Amino acid sequence: MSAGRSALRMGPAELVQAAAMARRFYLEGKSKIQIAEEFGVSRFKVARVLETALERDLVRIEIRVPAELDAERSDALRARYGLRHAVVVESPAEEQDDAPDPENLGEVAADLLGELVNEGDVLGLAWGRSTIHMAAALDRLPPCTVVQLTGVYDAGTAERGSVEAVRRAAQVSGGEAHPIYAPMLLPDPATAAALRHQTGIARAFDYFDKVTVAAVSIGSWEPGISTVHDMLSDEERAHYASLGVAAEMSAHLFDTEGRRVGRDLGERCITVEADRLRRIPEVVAIAGGQRKAAAIGAVLRSGLVTSLVTDTAAADYLLTESAAPQRPALERADPDGD
């Protein structure tokens, strides 16, 4: 608190009383009724004094968040897309065009999961560099079950990827882990269907309808930014590009309006189905960077996610793009009407 020049126009008794009331209200957390009883005035008098103290610069209110968080952009992004939570972190000082998601996104997402997950929840983790970074940064989770929502990018790297992320989250929470030891993309639908019926994979799939909080990654349709893009042949990439794919999430493809395209790809993939993902109460997407900005906007319009952890570079694009979402993400509406 500080007495500004305009506050000096108040009489000394007014200044002392206003300062005392402000201290009780802002620093000690007392209610206006409690303050009124202490000073022998009405609560309306207390309200007027507190208002005057603000107007005359006797009280200054400063809102502080950690330097790496951008509270203003976060709130604007939440409001624009109807998100339940939006957390924007500062982009790296020198962001490279070909850089993956900033690693600090995973650290912030880990803290967010610590807030969102409650004891007894089922946490679902999809494959993605950002979700792997998030799992590595986890240091607190209430007791919960952790299930893998997608196969792995390469079964040979499972120990360094999503399987290890599921194990890590379960270790932190002290709960059960249900990993999926299978590639995300298979050569044909028949092979994928056969794998889904294997005991361990089927057990993980049985948990999909019980997931209460999920963490997913987003990729744009270009090399190094989309796992699925990198797993396909040149001919397949060209085919899906001709359908207007702009974004990928958990092996589901989306056009710029958030409509799903290339649904046949899902038949070859080990992944949570889109309709199941839509029924999960809290789906947190973790993605950032200029190269992913348009893809993030497309996925937000799909209605599949409820919350977003991103960076200032992507947030600036999302806050200024002309194609505003027609429906807020919280409505979980499918742009295809399915």
Side-chain angles (χ1 to χ4, degrees):
M1 297 183 188
S2 61
R5 184 172 300 174
S6 58
L8 295 177
R9 298 173 185 172
M10 300 172 66
E14 291 178 301
L15 278 169
V16 170
Q17 184 184 67
M21 288 184 175
R23 181 173 295 279
R24 303 290 193 279
F25 185 74
Y26 291 109
L27 300 183
E28 299 176 10
K30 291 188 176 181
S31 69
K32 293 175 183 176
I33 293 178
Q34 290 174 313
I35 297 171
E37 291 176 352
E38 178 182 348
F39 286 87
V41 298
S42 71
R43 61 186 177 90
F44 302 105
K45 167 71 172 177
V46 173
R48 286 196 300 272
V49 170
L50 293 175
E51 183 178 352
T52 300
L54 284 171
E55 290 176 349
R56 300 194 178 186
D57 205 24
L58 181 63
V59 172
R60 294 177 182 176
I61 298 176
E62 184 176 10
I63 299 173
R64 289 186 176 183
V65 295
E68 68 270 17
L69 298 183
D70 192 309
E72 186 175 351
R73 283 185 176 92
S74 297
D75 188 56
L77 199 59
R78 177 201 57 77
R80 180 174 173 84
Y81 287 88
L83 294 163
R84 185 173 291 121
H85 304 284
V87 182
V88 178
V89 304
E90 290 291 336
S91 300
E94 295 183 2
E95 181 183 0
Q96 311 219 345
D97 291 340
D98 59 349
D101 295 318
E103 289 193 21
N104 59 343
L105 293 187
E107 297 171 1
V108 173
D111 287 340
L112 179 60
L113 279 194
E115 292 183 61
L116 299 181
V117 176
N118 295 307
E119 183 173 353
D121 276 349
V122 177
L123 171 62
L125 299 181
W127 194 97
R129 297 180 185 89
S130 55
T131 52
I132 291 171
H133 289 151
M134 179 205 67
L138 283 171
D139 59 9
R140 63 184 177 99
L141 272 181
C144 64
T145 299
V146 186
V147 61
Q148 193 170 323
L149 296 179
T150 63
V152 297
Y153 174 53
D154 179 350
T157 63
E159 293 302 315
R160 302 191 301 275
S162 46
V163 170
E164 180 57 30
V166 169
R167 287 176 174 168
R168 165 65 182 167
Q171 180 184 29
V172 172
S173 73
E176 296 181 1
H178 294 276
I180 294 178
Y181 296 96
M184 181 188 295
L185 180 67
L186 281 304
D188 53 71
T191 304
L195 275 177
R196 292 189 198 104
H197 286 91
Q198 288 189 357
T199 303
I201 297 174
R203 186 181 299 116
F205 268 63
D206 286 342
Y207 272 93
F208 285 179
D209 288 329
K210 303 174 185 176
V211 174
T212 50
V213 180
V216 299
S217 297
I218 295 173
S220 56
W221 197 245
E222 54 184 311
I225 307 296
S226 165
T227 299
V228 173
H229 178 282
D230 292 346
M231 289 191 288
L232 297 174
S233 66
D234 290 341
E235 183 179 353
E236 289 170 325
R237 292 170 189 152
H239 165 66
Y240 291 117
S242 71
L243 300 179
V245 59
E248 174 262 318
M249 179 180 68
S250 303
H252 300 295
L253 309 181
F254 306 88
D255 66 12
T256 56
E257 298 303 317
R259 295 184 294 259
R260 289 179 59 211
V261 297
R263 298 191 182 204
D264 60 303
L265 181 64
E267 298 175 5
R268 297 169 49 194
C269 292
I270 302 298
T271 185
V272 60
E273 301 94 327
D275 58 343
R276 279 178 157 176
L277 196 60
R278 197 181 303 278
R279 291 196 295 268
I280 296 175
E282 183 74 78
V283 179
V284 181
I286 312 163
Q290 294 179 2
R291 289 181 67 181
K292 283 192 178 183
I296 296 169
V299 172
L300 291 182
R301 282 185 282 275
S302 75
L304 288 174
V305 304
T306 60
S307 298
L308 175 68
V309 177
T310 190
D311 68 344
T312 51
D316 285 343
Y317 173 88
L318 293 169
L319 290 171
T320 57
E321 66 169 342
S322 58
Q326 295 180 350
R327 300 183 180 94
L330 282 182
E331 292 183 9
R332 312 303 296 277
D334 187 342
D336 294 323
D338 294 349

